[in-house]
Amino acid sequence: MRLELVKRPQHSVLFSAISPLIALALTMVAGAIMFSILGKNPLDALYYYFIDPLRETWSLHELTIKAAPLILIAVGLSVCFLSNNWNIGAEGQFIAGAVAGSMLPVVFPDFQTWLVLPLMLVMGVAGGAAYAAVPAFLKARFNTNEILTSLMLVYVAQLFLDWIVRGPWRDPGGMNFPETRDFHAFAILPELMPSAGRANWGIVFAILAALVLWFILRKTRKGFEIRVLGQSPRAGRFAGFSSSRMVMVAFLISGGLAGLAGISEVAGAIGQLQPSISPGYGFTAIIVAFLGRLNPLGIVAAGFVLALSYLGGEAAQISLGLSDKAARAFQGMLLFFVLGCDTLIHYKIRLAGRSVRGGEATKNA
């Protein structure tokens, strides 16, 4: 006897629409249980996670800073996932974009003009896209598993960043700390409302990217091609669409947006390169993409929800003494319930019959 998943002939449109809300509710219930086991008051923990970060204006600005890279990366990942290309290495592409875009203010600090920031953004996009092109080429040319190659490249990028800020790009006047020189004024992403908080143009880039990709996916032939190849590669080939070309296009879009997120982060919230520039945005963006149902507009809302979990996790760590591992586990629960709800909405669990050997024995008898 065994359990197997059987695709439902029809699935509930209502439950498909509210699946993210169900997943969020289940996450809160499971999180409350986890907090209780850890000896914390679950109501206090959920308060610090979801309410406390929304009480102050400066905290709302911090929310947009956290949400911007999540939305940018997740919108790009949605193109990959919809086309059935599993880019798990957005974290590495985020770092690659940050490093490539930081070259101007770090290596050429005397080059100070209004052109610096636009060039940094372009170089960040190019860096992220180039890094994503590696697993894309390997899959298109050699049919290599893109999950493994893109994931392994994350660690290469992290180690390269750590080496470069401790070695050739280390600030000569930085008291031997592993960081680059501070970016000059022409290399800093402007803040939207400096008097109220630190929110910068990164959130504008994120929302614009979501709107543009929503239009492409819903209203253009290229969007139709992405969906067809993702749902039925065989039908796509009959329609004359190239799977290999789509692999490259999807990865370049995804990597470019991750690179833009990377350079926006270091040119905005951080202001320099450091050994660690991301708390795991590239991996959390996978949760954002699925929570938003791979719809760019839904991803915007999901990005703010996960950004809230980042700020709430920090608040819970400070106020309740939770570990950062517990905060990450809470985010992991959300991904688990999102995927679980979607699976059970589209599939039903069936208890299969006897094994083949048992069936043969019955027949021979």
Side-chain angles (χ1 to χ4, degrees), residues 241-300:
F241 301 147
S242 170
S243 296
S244 298
R245 185 164 57 245
M246 179 52 62
V247 171
M248 295 300 299
V249 169
F251 267 87
L252 289 176
I253 292 174
S254 180
L257 288 176
L260 178 59
I263 187 57
S264 297
E265 182 72 5
V266 296
I270 301 177
Q272 61 178 180
L273 278 181
Q274 301 170 350
S276 177
I277 59 174
S278 167
Y281 288 136
F283 297 115
T284 306
I286 298 173
I287 306 176
V288 174
F290 282 105
L291 185 61
R293 310 307 300 275
L294 302 183
N295 182 318
L297 300 185
I299 285 171
V300 173

Side-chain angles (χ1 to χ4, degrees), residues 313-350:
E314 294 171 357
Q317 289 175 51
I318 295 171
S319 303
L320 300 178
L322 281 178
S323 70
D324 64 328
K325 302 298 186 296
R328 290 178 181 271
F330 190 73
Q331 291 179 340
M333 288 179 185
L334 183 55
L335 177 60
F336 173 80
F337 285 117
V338 166
L339 297 180
C341 288
D342 279 352
T343 299
L344 294 177
I345 287 170
H346 291 85
Y347 295 85
K348 58 184 177 181
I349 299 176
R350 187 176 68 182

Side-chain angles (χ1 to χ4, degrees), residues 150-171:
S150 62
L151 181 59
M152 291 301 101
L153 284 170
V154 171
Y155 304 107
V156 175
Q158 289 174 337
L159 292 172
F160 180 76
L161 172 63
D162 188 78
W163 168 76
I164 204 170
V165 298
R166 295 177 189 275
W169 284 11
R170 185 169 58 186
D171 183 6

Side-chain angles (χ1 to χ4, degrees), residues 102-272:
S102 299
M103 186 180 298
L104 281 180
V106 174
V107 181
F108 306 102
D110 295 328
F111 179 57
Q112 299 188 19
T113 172
W114 64 270
L115 286 172
V116 171
L117 185 59
L119 288 174
M120 288 172 60
L121 297 176
V122 171
M123 292 169 66
V125 172
Y131 208 64
V134 177
F137 173 77
L138 291 174
K139 179 180 181 179
R141 183 68 177 84
F142 303 107
N143 199 29
T144 308
N145 188 307
E146 74 275 22
I147 296 176
L148 294 178
T149 53
S150 62
L151 181 59
M152 291 301 101
L153 284 170
V154 171
Y155 304 107
V156 175
Q158 289 174 337
L159 292 172
F160 180 76
L161 172 63
D162 188 78
W163 168 76
I164 204 170
V165 298
R166 295 177 189 275
W169 284 11
R170 185 169 58 186
D171 183 6
M175 305 293 290
N176 243 11
F177 284 100
E179 59 190 20
T180 66
R181 66 177 77 241
D182 292 333
F183 292 177
H184 54 74
F186 288 102
I188 296 296
L189 204 60
E191 296 175 350
L192 294 176
M193 293 180 286
S195 61
R198 299 194 306 150
N200 57 52
W201 278 80
I203 190 63
V204 177
F205 298 155
I207 293 175
L208 286 177
L211 291 173
V212 169
L213 277 180
W214 175 84
F215 179 82
I216 291 173
L217 290 172
R218 298 295 175 183
K219 305 295 183 180
T220 68
R221 183 180 183 274
K222 180 58 68 175
F224 176 72
E225 180 180 346
I226 289 170
R227 295 196 305 275
V228 168
L229 285 172
Q231 295 172 8
S232 177
R234 186 166 179 265
R237 287 194 297 272
F238 278 120
F241 301 147
S242 170
S243 296
S244 298
R245 185 164 57 245
M246 179 52 62
V247 171
M248 295 300 299
V249 169
F251 267 87
L252 289 176
I253 292 174
S254 180
L257 288 176
L260 178 59
I263 187 57
S264 297
E265 182 72 5
V266 296
I270 301 177
Q272 61 178 180

